[in-house]
Amino acid sequence: MITTGQKIAIERTKASRLPQTDLENIKFGRVFSDHMLVMDYVDGAWKAPAIVPFGEMQMSPATLVLHYSQTIFEGLKAYRNAHGGINLIRPHDNIKRMNHSAHRMCMPQIPEDVFLEAMTELVKLDQEWIPKDEDASLYIRPFMFASDAYIGVRPSDSYRFIIFTCPVRGYYSEPVRVKIETKYSRAFPGGTGETKCGGNYAAALYPAKLGQDEGYHQLVWTDGLSHKYVEESGTMNVFFNIDGTLVTPGLDGTILRGITRDSIIRIAQDEGVRVEERQVSVEEIEVAARNGRLLSAFGAGTAATIAHIQSIAFDDAVYELPDVSKRELANRIGKRMDDIRRGRMADPYGWVVPVV
Ligand code: COI
């Protein structure tokens, strides 16, 4: 892997916003730490990585990304650990996934060493922004966009890569009510479904809004061809506990390759839980729900962590799932993940990368 060979320049803010920030009362994605990393791809190379005060950017109205959505992003978290340090969780997997998205979107690869160093330095610098309580963490948002000022349709020649961070608690404040979507589609074979590109999220807004108007927090997408098979939910992968077996749709190119999804599968298997990654039909879920064999369901994502699903709506029926306090399996896996992130138990997987 190429490296830029350049040191990251650091310009500290002259006036931290932290004293005026109430870290006890933060809404997801609305509070931004003091600094951000910026690096530009120009003339075929990444240049001048710099950590600078978080702030606004100027850009031409003709900037390519604003027109044709050539943009990708990632999401990962830094956690305070039980020993006074800070851990990143599986950053190498996020870096690899971002570069996988970049490939699909005709964007340049980001050198892994620069990417990791940038995140590490940024988190170190803004570590005071991580709230001290158990429910909180620092959400890290790396993203890249096409920065040519040009409105012809072609891949950009220049790109900007930015990382900023936000102190966060849960993405959902309560167990979610979801609806199985069988009219609109999020992804098709050969499309960008497994890519973390902005356009996937933009295209999902309208159907998701229709669902929200009906009182659902999120949709559960089905395959674009037949609408018979479950894929993922708006901001997370999905798991179903059917008679004690954890069932989740397999990665077929249309589903995001969730890193939290992967962590859950590995922990569950190591706990002796039977896990099946395969096609999951809507009918199977509905029959299991109707017969009381669907013991629980949950979404999994970096932002959402483990988000319990309270109810699932099909075309003509809504099924309420057992109370969250009774969801022993999901709660046990969630606790184990948290214990690893927070350094309360050994990390047998090599997921934890300490920052300080
Ligand atoms: C994440 O979980 O990090 C995501 O990217 C979901 C996001 C759209 C909030």
Side-chain angles (χ1 to χ4, degrees), residues 28 73-76 97 139 141 171 196 201 234-235 301-304:
F28 184 94
F73 69 97
E74 271 301 322
L76 67 159
R97 192 173 63 180
Y139 185 81
R141 170 51 62 88
Y171 190 81
K196 223 162 160 54
Y201 295 79
T235 54
T302 302

Side-chain angles (χ1 to χ4, degrees), residues 8-314:
I8 299 175
I10 299 183
E11 178 197 338
R12 286 169 180 270
T13 179
K14 294 195 175 55
S16 170
R17 287 174 282 105
L18 193 52
Q20 300 95 269
T21 307
D22 179 5
L23 287 181
E24 301 290 311
N25 293 299
I26 40 177
K27 289 215 165 72
F28 184 94
R30 294 215 180 262
V31 177
F32 309 106
S33 319
D34 276 332
H35 298 91
M36 62 183 183
L37 175 289
V38 183
M39 175 166 84
D40 286 315
Y41 185 85
V42 189
D43 298 331
W46 287 106
K47 306 250 166 83
I51 291 178
V52 296
F54 180 91
E56 291 175 8
M57 295 180 297
Q58 266 203 334
M59 54 165 81
S60 162
T63 304
L64 263 176
V65 65
L66 301 177
H67 302 269
Y68 312 123
S69 299
Q70 196 190 5
T71 176
I72 57 174
F73 69 97
E74 271 301 322
L76 67 159
K77 282 179 174 168
Y79 291 85
R80 286 192 185 279
N81 68 33
H83 316 290
I86 294 167
N87 294 338
L88 293 179
I89 307 301
R90 306 190 68 171
H92 294 285
D93 294 291
N94 288 92
I95 294 171
K96 285 194 168 62
R97 192 173 63 180
M98 179 109 170
N99 278 331
H100 183 73
S101 298
H103 178 76
R104 177 64 178 81
M105 298 297 287
C106 291
M107 301 169 94
Q109 299 288 291
I110 300 168
E112 288 192 34
D113 57 347
V114 178
F115 199 146
L116 184 62
E117 190 187 338
M119 285 197 288
T120 306
E121 288 303 315
L122 195 60
V123 171
K124 252 193 229 169
L125 195 60
D126 282 337
Q127 57 183 279
E128 291 309 317
W129 283 83
I130 312 180
K132 305 263 178 331
D133 56 285
E134 263 290 302
D135 299 335
S137 58
L138 192 71
Y139 185 81
I140 305 169
R141 170 51 62 88
F143 67 109
M144 191 208 304
F145 61 87
S147 56
D148 279 6
Y150 174 60
I151 55 163
V153 179
R154 59 137 171 84
S156 188
D157 288 329
S158 56
Y159 295 88
R160 178 159 281 195
F161 173 59
I162 296 183
I163 311 174
F164 65 81
T165 67
C166 315
V168 294
R169 290 197 175 72
Y171 190 81
Y172 295 107
S173 54
E174 56 184 343
V176 293
R177 292 183 300 281
V178 301
K179 176 190 160 190
I180 305 276
E181 175 60 53
T182 53
K183 177 176 177 196
Y184 294 96
S185 303
R186 173 188 172 275
F188 292 91
T192 57
E194 71 171 19
T195 307
K196 223 162 160 54
C197 64
N200 284 349
Y201 295 79
L205 293 175
Y206 176 69
K209 182 176 181 318
L210 295 181
Q212 280 151 17
D213 290 347
E214 291 176 58
Y216 303 108
H217 294 99
Q218 275 298 342
L219 303 177
V220 171
W221 296 102
T222 51
D223 71 284
L225 295 178
S226 69
H227 292 297
K228 284 190 179 146
Y229 299 98
V230 170
E231 298 219 310
E232 63 173 85
S233 189
T235 54
M236 48 201 188
N237 297 107
V238 280
F239 285 84
F240 304 94
N241 174 357
I242 304 178
D243 283 336
T245 296
L246 210 47
V247 179
T248 191
L251 301 178
D252 62 354
T254 56
I255 296 175
L256 187 79
R257 297 180 183 195
I259 294 165
T260 307
R261 172 189 181 279
D262 185 69
S263 300
I264 288 169
I265 291 172
R266 289 175 68 182
I267 290 175
Q269 284 170 335
D270 286 354
E271 295 250 314
V273 176
R274 186 185 163 99
V275 180
E276 291 177 2
E277 289 181 76
R278 58 167 170 80
Q279 275 199 325
V280 184
S281 72
V282 174
E283 188 186 3
E284 175 183 3
I285 300 303
E286 183 165 13
V287 169
R290 195 180 323 125
N291 297 343
R293 292 171 45 242
L294 181 60
L295 306 182
S296 70
F298 58 88
T302 302
T305 60
I306 288 185
H308 293 291
I309 294 178
Q310 185 58 55
S311 63
I312 308 185
F314 299 81

